[in-house]
DNA sequence: CGCAGGTTGGCAGTGACTGTCAGGATGACG
DNA sequence: CGTCATCCTGACAGTCACTGCCAACCTGCG
Protein backbone atom coordinates (compact mmCIF):
# COMPACT_ATOMS: atom_id res chain seq x y z
CA UNK A 1 0.00 0.00 0.00
CA UNK A 2 2.84 2.38 0.70
CA UNK A 3 4.68 3.26 -2.45
CA UNK A 4 8.22 4.14 -1.70
CA UNK A 5 8.98 7.14 -3.88
CA UNK A 6 7.79 10.45 -2.51
CA UNK A 7 9.98 12.49 -4.85
CA UNK A 8 9.21 16.13 -4.15
CA UNK A 9 8.73 17.80 -7.53
CA UNK A 10 11.04 20.80 -7.61
CA UNK A 11 10.19 22.42 -10.91
CA UNK A 12 6.83 23.37 -12.34
CA UNK A 13 7.46 21.03 -15.23
CA UNK A 14 7.77 18.04 -12.99
CA UNK A 15 4.61 19.00 -11.21
CA UNK A 16 2.50 19.38 -14.33
CA UNK A 17 4.02 16.21 -15.67
CA UNK A 18 2.90 14.33 -12.63
CA UNK A 19 -0.51 15.95 -12.82
CA UNK A 20 -1.02 15.05 -16.46
CA UNK A 21 0.15 11.54 -15.84
CA UNK A 22 -2.28 11.11 -13.00
CA UNK A 23 -5.20 12.53 -14.94
CA UNK A 24 -4.53 10.30 -17.92
CA UNK A 25 -4.32 7.28 -15.68
CA UNK A 26 -7.54 8.14 -13.89
CA UNK A 27 -9.45 8.68 -17.10
CA UNK A 28 -8.11 5.46 -18.52
CA UNK A 29 -8.97 3.34 -15.50
CA UNK A 30 -12.43 4.85 -15.30
CA UNK A 31 -13.19 4.29 -18.96
CA UNK A 32 -11.77 0.78 -18.91
CA UNK A 33 -14.00 -0.05 -15.99
CA UNK A 34 -17.07 1.52 -17.59
CA UNK A 35 -16.90 0.21 -21.14
CA UNK A 36 -14.12 -2.36 -21.15
CA UNK A 37 -10.58 -2.18 -22.40
CA UNK A 38 -11.04 -2.92 -26.07
CA UNK A 39 -14.06 -0.69 -26.49
CA UNK A 40 -12.11 2.28 -25.14
CA UNK A 41 -10.02 4.11 -27.72
CA UNK A 42 -6.86 5.97 -26.91
CA UNK A 43 -8.34 9.05 -28.58
CA UNK A 44 -11.17 8.94 -26.08
CA UNK A 45 -8.86 8.70 -23.11
CA UNK A 46 -6.73 11.55 -24.41
CA UNK A 47 -9.79 13.72 -24.93
CA UNK A 48 -11.14 13.01 -21.45
CA UNK A 49 -7.77 13.77 -19.92
CA UNK A 50 -7.49 16.99 -21.91
CA UNK A 51 -4.29 16.15 -23.74
CA UNK A 52 -3.44 15.25 -27.28
CA UNK A 53 -3.08 11.68 -28.36
CA UNK A 54 0.57 12.27 -29.10
CA UNK A 55 1.21 13.46 -25.58
CA UNK A 56 -0.54 10.45 -24.12
CA UNK A 57 1.81 8.19 -26.01
CA UNK A 58 4.75 10.17 -24.71
CA UNK A 59 3.74 9.43 -21.15
CA UNK A 60 2.66 5.84 -21.69
CA UNK A 61 4.36 4.11 -24.56
CA UNK A 62 1.44 1.79 -25.25
CA UNK A 63 -2.19 1.42 -24.36
CA UNK A 64 -1.29 -1.53 -22.18
CA UNK A 65 1.03 0.59 -20.09
CA UNK A 66 -2.02 2.55 -18.96
CA UNK A 67 -2.93 -0.44 -16.85
CA UNK A 68 0.35 -1.94 -15.83
CA UNK A 69 2.17 1.17 -14.78
CA UNK A 70 5.94 1.26 -14.80
CA UNK A 71 7.27 -2.30 -14.82
CA UNK A 72 10.66 -1.14 -13.60
CA UNK A 73 9.18 -0.17 -10.26
CA UNK A 74 8.03 -3.73 -9.77
CA UNK A 75 11.38 -5.13 -10.77
CA UNK A 76 13.15 -2.81 -8.38
CA UNK A 77 10.89 -3.66 -5.46
CA UNK A 78 11.19 -7.34 -6.16
CA UNK A 79 14.95 -7.49 -6.48
CA UNK A 80 15.51 -5.14 -3.55
CA UNK A 81 13.42 -7.29 -1.26
CA UNK A 82 15.27 -10.43 -2.24
CA UNK A 83 18.63 -8.76 -1.88
CA UNK A 84 17.91 -7.89 1.73
CA UNK A 85 17.33 -11.50 2.62
CA UNK A 86 20.05 -13.47 4.44
CA UNK A 87 22.17 -15.65 2.21
CA UNK A 88 20.87 -18.87 3.72
CA UNK A 89 17.25 -18.16 2.83
CA UNK A 90 16.00 -20.72 0.34
CA UNK A 91 14.81 -19.97 -3.19
CA UNK A 92 11.12 -20.38 -2.40
CA UNK A 93 11.31 -18.06 0.53
CA UNK A 94 13.13 -15.53 -1.62
CA UNK A 95 10.50 -15.70 -4.33
CA UNK A 96 7.69 -15.31 -1.86
CA UNK A 97 9.35 -12.30 -0.28
CA UNK A 98 9.95 -10.63 -3.64
CA UNK A 99 6.39 -11.18 -4.80
CA UNK A 100 5.04 -9.86 -1.53
CA UNK A 101 7.08 -6.70 -1.96
CA UNK A 102 5.84 -6.23 -5.51
CA UNK A 103 2.23 -6.61 -4.39
CA UNK A 104 2.76 -3.90 -1.80
CA UNK A 105 3.25 -1.38 -4.58
CA UNK A 106 -0.42 -0.94 -5.33
CA UNK A 107 -1.73 2.34 -4.02
CA UNK A 108 -4.83 0.82 -2.49
CA UNK A 109 -6.66 -2.44 -2.28
CA UNK A 110 -9.47 -0.99 -4.34
CA UNK A 111 -7.24 0.17 -7.15
CA UNK A 112 -5.49 -3.17 -7.21
CA UNK A 113 -8.81 -4.94 -7.55
CA UNK A 114 -9.91 -2.55 -10.28
CA UNK A 115 -6.73 -3.18 -12.24
CA UNK A 116 -6.79 -6.94 -11.88
CA UNK A 117 -10.42 -7.00 -12.86
CA UNK A 118 -9.78 -5.31 -16.20
CA UNK A 119 -6.68 -7.43 -16.61
CA UNK A 120 -8.43 -10.75 -16.25
CA UNK A 121 -11.42 -9.65 -18.28
CA UNK A 122 -9.29 -8.97 -21.37
CA UNK A 123 -7.25 -11.88 -22.76
CA UNK A 124 -4.86 -9.74 -24.77
CA UNK A 125 -4.10 -7.66 -21.70
CA UNK A 126 -3.41 -10.73 -19.67
CA UNK A 127 -0.97 -11.83 -22.33
CA UNK A 128 0.85 -8.53 -22.15
CA UNK A 129 1.01 -8.87 -18.41
CA UNK A 130 2.53 -12.32 -18.72
CA UNK A 131 5.08 -10.90 -21.11
CA UNK A 132 6.07 -8.29 -18.59
CA UNK A 133 6.50 -11.01 -16.02
CA UNK A 134 9.11 -12.56 -18.26
CA UNK A 135 11.32 -9.57 -17.61
CA UNK A 136 10.96 -10.22 -13.90
CA UNK A 137 12.07 -13.77 -14.53
CA UNK A 138 15.31 -12.60 -16.10
CA UNK A 139 16.05 -10.19 -13.31
CA UNK A 140 15.28 -12.68 -10.59
CA UNK A 141 17.32 -15.44 -12.19
CA UNK A 142 20.72 -14.70 -10.65
CA UNK A 143 19.17 -13.96 -7.28
CA UNK A 144 17.50 -17.36 -7.18
CA UNK A 145 20.18 -19.44 -8.87
CA UNK A 146 22.69 -18.38 -6.23
CA UNK A 147 20.48 -19.89 -3.54
CA UNK A 148 20.50 -23.37 -5.04
CA UNK A 149 22.85 -26.01 -3.77
CA UNK A 150 22.35 -28.87 -6.23
CA UNK A 151 24.42 -29.72 -9.25
CA UNK A 152 25.66 -26.47 -10.78
CA UNK A 153 25.07 -27.64 -14.34
CA UNK A 154 21.34 -27.64 -13.75
CA UNK A 155 21.21 -24.52 -11.63
CA UNK A 156 20.04 -22.28 -14.45
CA UNK A 157 17.29 -24.58 -15.59
CA UNK A 158 16.13 -25.30 -12.06
CA UNK A 159 16.08 -21.64 -11.10
CA UNK A 160 14.08 -20.78 -14.19
CA UNK A 161 11.60 -23.53 -13.44
CA UNK A 162 11.11 -22.31 -9.89
CA UNK A 163 10.68 -18.70 -10.93
CA UNK A 164 8.21 -19.59 -13.64
CA UNK A 165 6.28 -21.73 -11.20
CA UNK A 166 6.15 -18.97 -8.62
CA UNK A 167 4.78 -16.43 -11.09
CA UNK A 168 2.33 -18.93 -12.52
CA UNK A 169 1.03 -19.43 -9.00
CA UNK A 170 0.85 -15.68 -8.51
CA UNK A 171 -1.24 -15.41 -11.65
CA UNK A 172 -3.62 -18.12 -10.50
CA UNK A 173 -3.83 -16.55 -7.06
CA UNK A 174 -4.56 -13.07 -8.40
CA UNK A 175 -7.26 -14.40 -10.66
CA UNK A 176 -8.82 -16.31 -7.80
CA UNK A 177 -8.68 -13.14 -5.72
CA UNK A 178 -10.61 -11.25 -8.38
CA UNK A 179 -13.13 -14.06 -8.68
CA UNK A 180 -13.72 -13.70 -4.94
CA UNK A 181 -14.21 -9.95 -5.28
CA UNK A 182 -11.06 -9.07 -3.39
CA UNK A 183 -11.96 -11.10 -0.32
CA UNK A 184 -8.98 -12.43 1.59
CA UNK A 185 -5.31 -11.92 0.82
CA UNK A 186 -3.60 -12.64 -2.47
CA UNK A 187 -0.57 -13.88 -0.62
CA UNK A 188 -2.60 -16.51 1.21
CA UNK A 189 -3.95 -17.77 -2.08
CA UNK A 190 -0.43 -17.73 -3.46
CA UNK A 191 0.79 -19.90 -0.60
CA UNK A 192 -1.94 -22.40 -1.19
CA UNK A 193 -1.12 -22.51 -4.88
CA UNK A 194 2.56 -23.10 -4.26
CA UNK A 195 1.93 -25.84 -1.76
CA UNK A 196 -0.45 -27.48 -4.24
CA UNK A 197 2.13 -27.27 -7.00
CA UNK A 198 4.80 -28.81 -4.81
CA UNK A 199 2.66 -31.68 -3.58
CA UNK B 1 5.84 -36.11 -35.50
CA UNK B 2 2.79 -37.87 -36.88
CA UNK B 3 -0.12 -35.49 -37.12
CA UNK B 4 -3.34 -37.35 -36.73
CA UNK B 5 -5.59 -35.91 -39.42
CA UNK B 6 -5.04 -37.32 -42.91
CA UNK B 7 -8.33 -36.01 -44.21
CA UNK B 8 -8.51 -36.91 -47.87
CA UNK B 9 -9.63 -33.76 -49.68
CA UNK B 10 -12.72 -34.71 -51.64
CA UNK B 11 -13.50 -31.57 -53.59
CA UNK B 12 -11.24 -29.33 -55.61
CA UNK B 13 -12.05 -26.50 -53.26
CA UNK B 14 -10.71 -28.33 -50.28
CA UNK B 15 -7.58 -29.21 -52.18
CA UNK B 16 -6.79 -25.66 -53.28
CA UNK B 17 -7.66 -24.46 -49.83
CA UNK B 18 -5.12 -26.78 -48.33
CA UNK B 19 -2.58 -25.79 -50.94
CA UNK B 20 -3.02 -22.09 -50.36
CA UNK B 21 -2.86 -22.58 -46.62
CA UNK B 22 0.37 -24.50 -46.95
CA UNK B 23 1.99 -21.95 -49.26
CA UNK B 24 1.07 -19.08 -47.00
CA UNK B 25 2.48 -20.90 -44.02
CA UNK B 26 5.71 -21.73 -45.80
CA UNK B 27 6.24 -18.17 -47.00
CA UNK B 28 5.52 -16.84 -43.54
CA UNK B 29 7.88 -19.19 -41.73
CA UNK B 30 10.63 -18.51 -44.26
CA UNK B 31 10.30 -14.75 -44.04
CA UNK B 32 10.04 -14.80 -40.27
CA UNK B 33 13.25 -16.78 -40.11
CA UNK B 34 15.03 -14.54 -42.57
CA UNK B 35 14.13 -11.08 -41.35
CA UNK B 36 12.36 -11.61 -38.05
CA UNK B 37 8.71 -11.50 -37.13
CA UNK B 38 8.17 -7.80 -36.62
CA UNK B 39 10.10 -6.76 -39.72
CA UNK B 40 7.91 -8.97 -41.89
CA UNK B 41 4.66 -7.37 -43.02
CA UNK B 42 1.53 -9.32 -43.79
CA UNK B 43 1.43 -7.68 -47.20
CA UNK B 44 4.84 -9.18 -47.94
CA UNK B 45 3.77 -12.68 -46.94
CA UNK B 46 0.59 -12.42 -49.01
CA UNK B 47 2.56 -11.27 -52.02
CA UNK B 48 5.11 -14.07 -51.70
CA UNK B 49 2.34 -16.63 -51.33
CA UNK B 50 0.48 -15.23 -54.33
CA UNK B 51 -2.74 -14.36 -52.55
CA UNK B 52 -4.38 -11.14 -51.52
CA UNK B 53 -4.00 -9.79 -48.05
CA UNK B 54 -7.70 -10.21 -47.50
CA UNK B 55 -7.53 -13.90 -48.30
CA UNK B 56 -4.60 -14.42 -45.99
CA UNK B 57 -6.64 -13.04 -43.15
CA UNK B 58 -9.45 -15.38 -44.07
CA UNK B 59 -7.18 -18.38 -43.63
CA UNK B 60 -5.33 -17.12 -40.57
CA UNK B 61 -7.27 -14.71 -38.47
CA UNK B 62 -4.20 -12.90 -37.18
CA UNK B 63 -0.52 -12.59 -37.96
CA UNK B 64 0.23 -14.59 -34.85
CA UNK B 65 -1.79 -17.52 -36.08
CA UNK B 66 0.74 -17.90 -38.87
CA UNK B 67 3.11 -19.25 -36.28
CA UNK B 68 0.92 -21.01 -33.80
CA UNK B 69 -1.30 -22.91 -36.15
CA UNK B 70 -4.74 -24.00 -35.05
CA UNK B 71 -4.89 -23.98 -31.24
CA UNK B 72 -7.90 -26.28 -31.24
CA UNK B 73 -5.80 -29.09 -32.58
CA UNK B 74 -3.55 -28.82 -29.57
CA UNK B 75 -6.47 -28.71 -27.20
CA UNK B 76 -7.98 -31.77 -28.81
CA UNK B 77 -4.76 -33.77 -28.67
CA UNK B 78 -4.16 -32.76 -25.09
CA UNK B 79 -7.60 -33.57 -23.77
CA UNK B 80 -7.88 -36.77 -25.78
CA UNK B 81 -4.61 -38.08 -24.37
CA UNK B 82 -5.66 -37.33 -20.81
CA UNK B 83 -9.08 -38.87 -21.33
CA UNK B 84 -7.55 -42.16 -22.34
CA UNK B 85 -5.67 -42.44 -19.08
CA UNK B 86 -6.97 -44.74 -16.33
CA UNK B 87 -8.95 -43.02 -13.61
CA UNK B 88 -6.32 -43.70 -10.96
CA UNK B 89 -3.56 -41.85 -12.79
CA UNK B 90 -2.44 -38.83 -10.80
CA UNK B 91 -2.72 -35.21 -11.94
CA UNK B 92 0.98 -34.83 -12.69
CA UNK B 93 1.06 -37.93 -14.82
CA UNK B 94 -2.02 -36.70 -16.67
CA UNK B 95 -0.48 -33.34 -17.37
CA UNK B 96 2.73 -34.89 -18.61
CA UNK B 97 0.84 -37.22 -20.90
CA UNK B 98 -1.25 -34.40 -22.35
CA UNK B 99 1.73 -32.19 -22.96
CA UNK B 100 3.61 -35.04 -24.60
CA UNK B 101 0.69 -35.59 -26.95
CA UNK B 102 0.55 -31.91 -27.85
CA UNK B 103 4.27 -31.86 -28.60
CA UNK B 104 3.81 -34.79 -30.97
CA UNK B 105 1.72 -32.59 -33.23
CA UNK B 106 4.67 -30.84 -34.83
CA UNK B 107 5.29 -32.07 -38.34
CA UNK B 108 9.02 -32.41 -37.86
CA UNK B 109 11.71 -31.70 -35.35
CA UNK B 110 13.15 -29.07 -37.64
CA UNK B 111 9.89 -27.19 -38.07
CA UNK B 112 9.28 -27.29 -34.35
CA UNK B 113 12.69 -25.78 -33.73
CA UNK B 114 12.11 -23.12 -36.39
CA UNK B 115 8.80 -22.16 -34.83
CA UNK B 116 10.07 -22.05 -31.27
CA UNK B 117 13.07 -20.00 -32.38
CA UNK B 118 10.90 -17.24 -33.82
CA UNK B 119 8.62 -17.53 -30.85
CA UNK B 120 11.29 -16.96 -28.24
CA UNK B 121 13.01 -14.26 -30.29
CA UNK B 122 9.90 -12.06 -30.29
CA UNK B 123 8.49 -10.98 -26.94
CA UNK B 124 5.05 -10.06 -28.22
CA UNK B 125 4.74 -13.45 -29.88
CA UNK B 126 5.66 -15.21 -26.72
CA UNK B 127 2.94 -13.26 -24.98
CA UNK B 128 0.39 -14.41 -27.51
CA UNK B 129 1.56 -17.95 -27.06
CA UNK B 130 1.10 -17.71 -23.34
CA UNK B 131 -2.37 -16.36 -23.91
CA UNK B 132 -3.24 -19.37 -26.02
CA UNK B 133 -1.97 -21.61 -23.26
CA UNK B 134 -4.57 -20.06 -20.99
CA UNK B 135 -7.24 -21.66 -23.12
CA UNK B 136 -5.56 -25.01 -22.55
CA UNK B 137 -5.70 -24.35 -18.85
CA UNK B 138 -9.45 -23.94 -18.94
CA UNK B 139 -9.96 -27.08 -20.95
CA UNK B 140 -7.65 -29.14 -18.81
CA UNK B 141 -9.17 -27.94 -15.55
CA UNK B 142 -11.98 -30.49 -15.16
CA UNK B 143 -9.74 -33.32 -16.31
CA UNK B 144 -7.20 -32.52 -13.63
CA UNK B 145 -9.52 -31.49 -10.82
CA UNK B 146 -11.25 -34.86 -11.00
CA UNK B 147 -7.98 -36.59 -10.23
CA UNK B 148 -7.42 -34.78 -6.96
CA UNK B 149 -8.35 -36.40 -3.69
CA UNK B 150 -7.82 -33.60 -1.17
CA UNK B 151 -10.43 -31.24 0.27
CA UNK B 152 -12.98 -30.50 -2.46
CA UNK B 153 -13.22 -26.83 -1.58
CA UNK B 154 -9.69 -26.27 -2.73
CA UNK B 155 -9.81 -28.60 -5.72
CA UNK B 156 -10.33 -25.82 -8.25
CA UNK B 157 -7.52 -23.66 -6.95
CA UNK B 158 -5.15 -26.60 -6.58
CA UNK B 159 -5.86 -27.89 -10.05
CA UNK B 160 -5.31 -24.47 -11.56
CA UNK B 161 -2.03 -24.14 -9.72
CA UNK B 162 -0.81 -27.49 -10.98
CA UNK B 163 -1.84 -26.79 -14.56
CA UNK B 164 -0.23 -23.38 -14.53
CA UNK B 165 2.94 -24.88 -13.09
CA UNK B 166 3.06 -27.60 -15.72
CA UNK B 167 2.74 -25.15 -18.58
CA UNK B 168 5.23 -22.78 -17.01
CA UNK B 169 7.69 -25.68 -16.90
CA UNK B 170 6.89 -26.50 -20.51
CA UNK B 171 7.68 -22.94 -21.46
CA UNK B 172 11.00 -23.00 -19.63
CA UNK B 173 11.82 -26.38 -21.16
CA UNK B 174 11.02 -25.29 -24.71
CA UNK B 175 13.12 -22.18 -24.32
CA UNK B 176 16.01 -24.22 -22.97
CA UNK B 177 15.61 -26.59 -25.91
CA UNK B 178 15.91 -23.70 -28.35
CA UNK B 179 18.93 -22.37 -26.50
CA UNK B 180 20.55 -25.78 -26.95
CA UNK B 181 19.75 -25.72 -30.67
CA UNK B 182 17.29 -28.58 -30.48
CA UNK B 183 19.67 -30.96 -28.80
CA UNK B 184 17.98 -33.53 -26.58
CA UNK B 185 14.29 -33.93 -25.91
CA UNK B 186 11.92 -31.25 -24.73
CA UNK B 187 10.13 -33.77 -22.57
CA UNK B 188 13.33 -34.60 -20.70
CA UNK B 189 13.88 -30.94 -19.99
CA UNK B 190 10.26 -30.68 -18.92
CA UNK B 191 10.71 -33.51 -16.43
CA UNK B 192 13.74 -31.87 -14.93
CA UNK B 193 11.85 -28.57 -14.63
CA UNK B 194 8.90 -30.20 -12.88
CA UNK B 195 11.08 -32.06 -10.46
CA UNK B 196 12.92 -28.82 -9.69
CA UNK B 197 9.66 -26.99 -9.11
CA UNK B 198 8.40 -29.68 -6.77
CA UNK B 199 11.55 -29.91 -4.70
C1' DC C 1 -26.65 -25.12 -69.54
C1' DG C 2 -27.91 -22.57 -65.59
C1' DC C 3 -28.24 -21.80 -60.85
C1' DA C 4 -26.95 -21.69 -55.84
C1' DG C 5 -23.33 -21.28 -52.72
C1' DG C 6 -18.71 -20.74 -51.53
C1' DT C 7 -14.35 -18.02 -52.68
C1' DT C 8 -11.53 -14.25 -54.02
C1' DG C 9 -9.63 -9.59 -54.49
C1' DG C 10 -9.96 -4.71 -54.06
C1' DC C 11 -11.19 -0.80 -51.48
C1' DA C 12 -12.25 2.03 -47.86
C1' DG C 13 -12.11 2.55 -42.99
C1' DT C 14 -10.66 1.94 -37.88
C1' DG C 15 -7.36 1.92 -34.29
C1' DA C 16 -2.71 1.68 -32.26
C1' DC C 17 1.56 3.72 -32.79
C1' DT C 18 5.70 6.69 -34.73
C1' DG C 19 8.48 10.58 -36.94
C1' DT C 20 8.67 15.20 -37.53
C1' DC C 21 8.20 19.98 -36.95
C1' DA C 22 6.67 24.46 -35.66
C1' DG C 23 5.25 27.00 -31.68
C1' DG C 24 4.67 27.97 -26.82
C1' DA C 25 5.85 27.64 -21.93
C1' DT C 26 9.66 27.41 -18.60
C1' DG C 27 13.97 27.86 -16.35
C1' DA C 28 18.77 29.81 -16.04
C1' DC C 29 21.64 33.52 -16.52
C1' DG C 30 23.19 38.09 -17.05
C1' DC D 1 13.72 42.38 -16.36
C1' DG D 2 15.29 40.57 -20.90
C1' DT D 3 17.38 36.79 -23.55
C1' DC D 4 18.26 32.47 -24.89
C1' DA D 5 18.52 27.55 -24.53
C1' DT D 6 15.65 23.77 -23.16
C1' DC D 7 11.77 21.20 -22.63
C1' DC D 8 7.02 20.14 -23.74
C1' DT D 9 3.01 20.11 -26.58
C1' DG D 10 -0.20 19.60 -30.41
C1' DA D 11 -0.97 18.75 -35.13
C1' DC D 12 -0.21 16.26 -39.26
C1' DA D 13 1.03 12.58 -42.08
C1' DG D 14 2.27 7.95 -42.45
C1' DT D 15 2.73 2.68 -41.30
C1' DC D 16 0.74 -1.59 -40.06
C1' DA D 17 -2.64 -5.04 -38.43
C1' DC D 18 -7.21 -5.99 -39.14
C1' DT D 19 -12.43 -5.66 -40.67
C1' DG D 20 -16.74 -4.84 -43.44
C1' DC D 21 -18.43 -4.66 -47.81
C1' DC D 22 -19.25 -5.62 -52.57
C1' DA D 23 -18.61 -7.15 -57.24
C1' DA D 24 -16.57 -10.80 -59.90
C1' DC D 25 -15.52 -15.49 -60.03
C1' DC D 26 -15.31 -20.48 -59.75
C1' DT D 27 -17.10 -24.99 -58.42
C1' DG D 28 -20.49 -28.53 -57.78
C1' DC D 29 -25.07 -30.11 -58.86
C1' DG D 30 -29.40 -30.65 -61.08
Amino acid sequence: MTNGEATAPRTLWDRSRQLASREILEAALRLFGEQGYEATTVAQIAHEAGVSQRTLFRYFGTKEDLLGGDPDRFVRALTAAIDELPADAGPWEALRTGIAAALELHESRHQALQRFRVLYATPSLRAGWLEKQLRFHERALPLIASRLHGSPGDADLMARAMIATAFACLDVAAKAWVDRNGKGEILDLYDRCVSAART
Side-chain angles (χ1 to χ4, degrees), chain A residues 72-136:
Chain A
D72 279 345
R73 276 180 59 214
F74 283 87
V75 170
R76 263 180 272 130
L78 193 137
T79 53
I82 297 182
D83 266 336
E84 281 175 13
L85 245 47
D88 63 342
W92 291 110
E93 188 187 342
L95 283 166
R96 200 197 113 106
T97 305
I99 284 175
L103 284 176
E104 287 288 315
L105 253 65
H106 284 115
E107 288 184 14
S108 70
R109 203 185 177 79
H110 175 261
Q111 200 184 55
L113 185 57
Q114 199 175 1
R115 279 207 166 109
F116 279 129
R117 224 193 278 281
V118 179
L119 191 70
Y120 288 110
T122 316
S124 72
L125 261 181
R126 197 172 172 187
W129 166 238
L130 291 173
E131 183 195 341
K132 267 179 205 144
Q133 284 190 357
L134 293 176
R135 275 177 253 168
F136 303 170

Side-chain angles (χ1 to χ4, degrees), chain A residues 12 16-17 21-22 26 55 57 65 70 83 90-92 100 109 121 126 145 148 153 160 177 187 189-190 198:
Chain A
L12 205 169
S16 48
R17 259 181 101 84
S21 171
R22 183 179 291 267
E26 264 176 36
T55 297
F57 276 116
D65 290 349
D70 183 13
D83 266 336
W92 291 110
R109 203 185 177 79
R126 197 172 172 187
L148 291 175
R160 283 182 193 276
W177 187 63
L187 217 50
L189 292 164
Y190 168 81
R198 299 180 63 195

Side-chain angles (χ1 to χ4, degrees), chain A residues 99 103 113 116 120 126 129 133 165-194:
Chain A
I99 284 175
L103 284 176
L113 185 57
F116 279 129
Y120 288 110
R126 197 172 172 187
W129 166 238
Q133 284 190 357
T165 297
F167 278 99
C169 286
L170 172 61
D171 189 58
V172 171
K175 180 163 164 45
W177 187 63
V178 170
D179 288 342
R180 288 158 204 212
N181 268 310
K183 222 170 130 187
E185 294 299 323
I186 294 186
L187 217 50
D188 287 343
L189 292 164
Y190 168 81
D191 286 335
R192 280 155 72 189
C193 284
V194 171

